[in-house]
Amino acid sequence: MSAKKLNKDPLNLIITGVGGQGNVIISLIIGNAFVKEGYLVTVGETYGASQRGGPVMSQLRISTESQYSPFIPDGCADIILGMEPVETLRMLGRYGNSSVITMVNSRPIYSIDVTAGQAEYPELQSLLNTIKELSAKTWVINATAEAQKMGSPVFANAILIGALIGSGILPIDKTSVEAVLRETFLREIVTNLAAFNKGFELVK
Amino acid sequence: MASIDIDAPGTSQLFIGNEAIARGALEAGIGFAAAYPGTPSSEILGSLAAVAKKSGIYAEWSVNEKVAVEAAAGASFAGIRALAAMKQNGINVVSDFLANVVMSGTGKAGLVLISCDDPSAISSSNEQDTRPIAKWLDIPLVEPGDFQEAKDMTKWLFDLSEELGTLCMLRSVTRIAHARGNVKLGGLPRKEHKAYFEQLHDLKRVTPTTFMPVPSSIRHSFLHMKMDRAREKFELSPFNRYVGPDKAGLLIVTCGSCWLYSQDAVKALKLDDKVGILKLGTLWPLPEKFVAEYLNKSQNILVVEEIDPFLERSIMEMIANLPPSSPHPTFYGKRSGHLNAYGELNPDMVIKAIANILHISYQSRDIEYGRKAEAATKSYVPGRTLTFCPGCPHRATFWAIKNALKLDGRNGLVTGDIGCYSMALGPAGFFQLRTMHCMGAGSGVANGLGKLGQFGFNQPVLAVIGDSTFYHAGIPALINGIYNQSNFVLIILDNGGTAMTGFQPHPGTGMTAMGEPTKVVSMEALCRSLGARVELCDPFDFKSTTATLLEMMAEGGGAKVVIMRRECELVRSRKEKKPPYKVYVDPDKCIGEACGCDRLCTRVFQCPGLIWDKKAGKAKIDDVICTGCGVCADVCPQGAIIKEKT
Amino acid sequence: MAERTKGYKELFTEVIETGLCALCGACADGCPYLVYYKGRIVLLDNCTLSKGQCYEYCPRTYIDMDAISQQVFGVPYSEDEIGVTKEVFVARSTDAHIKEKAQYGGVVTTLLSLALTEGFIDSAILTKTSVDKVPTPFLAQNAEEVLQCTGSNYMACPVVARLNQVPRNDSNKLGVAAMPCQVLAITKMKKVPPENRVNISNVKLIVGLFCTWALSPDGFYQFLAKNLDLSQVEKFDVPPPPTNRFDVYTTSGKLSFSLEEIRQYALPTCAYCLDMTSEFADISVGSAEGVAGWNIVITRTDIGAELVKVAKAKKKIETDRLPSENLAHLKEAALLKKKRALNEIIKRTGSTDNLLYVRLSPRVIERLLEYKWIKR
């Protein structure tokens, strides 16, 4: 498969969230889908100690020309997929710009700084409004709520992938991603595919 | 998702650097791999172990890195290609063996050492650049610049090791090890491994077939000959190359992950025609002729590397030896302050250095936007301090330790080392940890403190150590405490695996790296056989655990052991899908901030599953985060947290 | 009465760290931050509240004696040596079993058992001496359990801490056998009822004990453990002056220590205590010096008098007149404690304007400082 030339090369995608949300799985699936289509992909992850309740982010560099470094330079994100609202804003602060496109899961996860009373979690609607002000286009997805309806918050991953692909902002086919999904989710494949399709619905 | 043993030569797969290294080892036809878990190296052995049986190779989690390299050397001595992998601290642990094996030489089969450094100590206690050990002990050293090279270099290193008859080292960093990139696969050899320890004395080889560092003068001079030979090969290596204009306004000399950052930086500044990049993959011995050739590309040279100015210094040394007529460019890098001599680098830092040297300005985004974005982040975004996972037995252990020390009243302290429990230095473990260094250090330090009674010291000493760390480095310290009668309590945090690095098995788990059941090395039986008093506690039983700790501290005498045994929550939840309890807060019983509670559960205990409903003034359980362990029910002073068996 | 003006920090700086703590337990075990453990009040974690019940109910943070006296008896605090009394007499139990185990006359045990069986109370908080002679607060719910708590070991015991642990929705009527400092604490709790813990209006009966000093359950306990086998101890006794002895009765005989040696283990706070006879209890009971096997009993309130009436009617106790000589003796001892305490306080603060934790009217201060000894 030869890769189609990209409108912007490299395409810089950030996936952010809190340790334990399944951030890495999403970047793995999207990265593999692009590699299958012949692109050069670099995925940078911050995990390890970060998993223990700390912020995690994956940075994808997609290109037809060069193998880029695992770091997106400051201010150069094209797309931000945020699994948690505050983390999404944190990413916009560092990597956002006037053309960034943002997709955010609306469910907050409170850090111990907040629950211990040492810091304030911003009021959700005003937080989402700030995210919208800092993005060229924004989708707010209630992925966790929908995932809980399907049986567990972990299905939020597949829902968000579906939403991302369904929105059309990534130059990749649904079928390529679905194929990778099947390879990745060996357990609960039926529910994950349903979640993937749910994500599609949510952005239509 | 390709496994590293996928039989698809010529295809491109998305591998993390560690998987690429593992694939390189498979393509080289290794038979033996050994390692101790350590971020960011663990996936190398992990992925080899996952395919070991199918591939007909052997892969093990050794009890520590020293044994891992020694075991790999044993395989090399008997003609089996072997690999050992570790993080930077592992190199420290192995250093004595390394200093000897470079003298003794290796066997007919290559021996490759992989060192994965963690710049900025993202998942480490200390930050350390392991490349200088190659210079210190005379080890041929390579550093991959991307994921493809991670594979290709590993494969090549076995050939090099065999040709030279010595251990060769590949140094990687987190941003190669854990990042994913395209790797074009080669073929997998259909090899039958045959192990035999040659007893013949082979005069033709540079290295005789006895593996010892004696006699040292002969061995040392042989080693120098090997290094000269290595340098010759490095001069011609395809892992070293130049990209850029014939005459450049700036020449970047770089290696490792910094090659990718440098490329990114040059592209972002659109200086492809002005800035050249000399990428080195073979770092020690330095291919001096090759480097000297490119030094006249520019009057200005910026050396970009992590972490120490290793390459920078080697090049400067080299220049000092060149004839006086040679070009003497201006050097920029860590010595000049253009780049940090600590921490990891990234494209933005390289951009800044280049812009500074060439006096150009760079703006990645609209200034207005930047101002707005930064203001929003500052005012809006709360911190996210690391903590133990919800349901973690360590939280319960340190709760009991904190209470026991307060009740005891003699200002006791906790010494410790590395693992998830290192977080006890923060709110996660109620700020209990007072010392933390390398593996097993807590137990060692406790030994010293426990002998200070004659100088008026009477503070109880509790040394915490993980189960895997205990087998790695804790046993000698415990023996010392029993033999020298040092007064401390060794608390072994047995959560059934090497948790922080990814739940790898260890000698106490009864499972090998390759998934086979094996003998359990019982830690309580071991400690008892050493002559120590040993008590087993369930950290979730606060009352009993606190009472045991108080008793052990009051008893005095030589070293004794408490084993806090409860499975890591992440492991338990994978095995048992169902949480043990449904936990919720009864808002009628919760008194929140009032006198008699003052938000003990959220403010002090701080399990992330407990959240504070500001409007209602009550605690609540976050059902997305809570794992249903039920421990908080015993913490609540009003009995407002209810746990119901599921 | 004290408002909830300060919190645990001041409790430590003003009371616990200055030697004023009586280990009464009023601050302990009512919240997760302050607990009692082996003779100490231990802070397990920091609380962020600047005002707390721990400070409020402590009998050494603020006692306005007039206000307390008004609350309990409706009269101001006077210089009467043994406080407000209805009746003062001697008594002893008629139950042989109790008499055998009792310290002196077994009156406390008898009255509390009777209070239980007659329904004055449903349970009683007492001090129980464990097998290894550690004094522990205990909630007794029948006569059997009350009997297990007879005898004195002269060490402080945080009885009020056990009261703090009674759940707020528990409606059982409670009785308490308390030392003078503990009676003060409970009286403070009755004035401003505690929140989120025991419903203080359920405390129906306070039997106060006479007390000159209490010994440290930390220091004194270690002293005992060093000098004898605690498991063999049957009884402790301080016989009346001029014997100057502390006796320990063991299975293998009697051991005596000089009172000087023992007094060094008295809590420092006892030197500043004005109350020898538990002046604010419903009934106060102590030894009758010179009348072996009998107690001196003082009834002070209606419920106290009522209980004694029932006890006499049911022949649970036998009573007799307290000879005037003995009464004078009692008053002398009580007054001496007040004078000593006041003098110690003034020595410590340097002025009659600052009496540490206690507020006395100027008249009372003057009278106590000038009072002549009562001659027989």
Side-chain angles (χ1 to χ4, degrees), chain B residues 494-517:
Chain B
D494 185 5
N495 56 1
T498 316
M500 189 54 131
T501 45
F503 326 110
Q504 292 84 7
H506 60 56
T509 60
M511 185 70 67
T512 67
M514 286 165 62
E516 276 155 3

Side-chain angles (χ1 to χ4, degrees), chain A residues 28-39 172 176-177 180, chain B residues 14:
Chain A
L28 191 61
I29 290 171
I30 295 178
N32 269 297
F34 272 98
V35 165
K36 268 196 154 68
E37 300 236 328
Y39 290 88
I172 191 142
S176 300
V177 179
V180 177
Chain B
L14 193 65

Side-chain angles (χ1 to χ4, degrees), chain A residues 28 32 39 41-43 45 52 61 68-69 74 87 93 96 107 109 111 113 115 120 126 130 134 183-184, chain B residues 1 175 179-182 264 267 348 364-365 369 377 380 382-385 387 599 602 606 614 622 624:
Chain A
L28 191 61
N32 269 297
Y39 290 88
V41 177
T42 303
V43 184
E45 317 265 16
R52 305 312 189 255
R61 321 294 301 284
Y68 279 81
S69 84
D74 291 352
E87 296 313 312
R107 195 2 169 115
I109 293 184
S111 62
D113 315 66
T115 58
E120 286 269 341
S126 96
T130 308
L134 290 172
E183 283 171 28
T184 317
Chain B
M1 225 65 37
R175 301 304 181 184
R180 273 173 215 287
N182 298 59
D264 267 23
K267 286 204 177 77
D348 285 291
S364 65
R365 62 185 177 185
Y369 180 97
T377 319
Y380 251 152
R384 210 172 275 279
T385 304
T387 184
R599 292 185 48 180
T602 55
Q606 290 193 22
K614 209 169 175 192
D622 184 338
V624 168

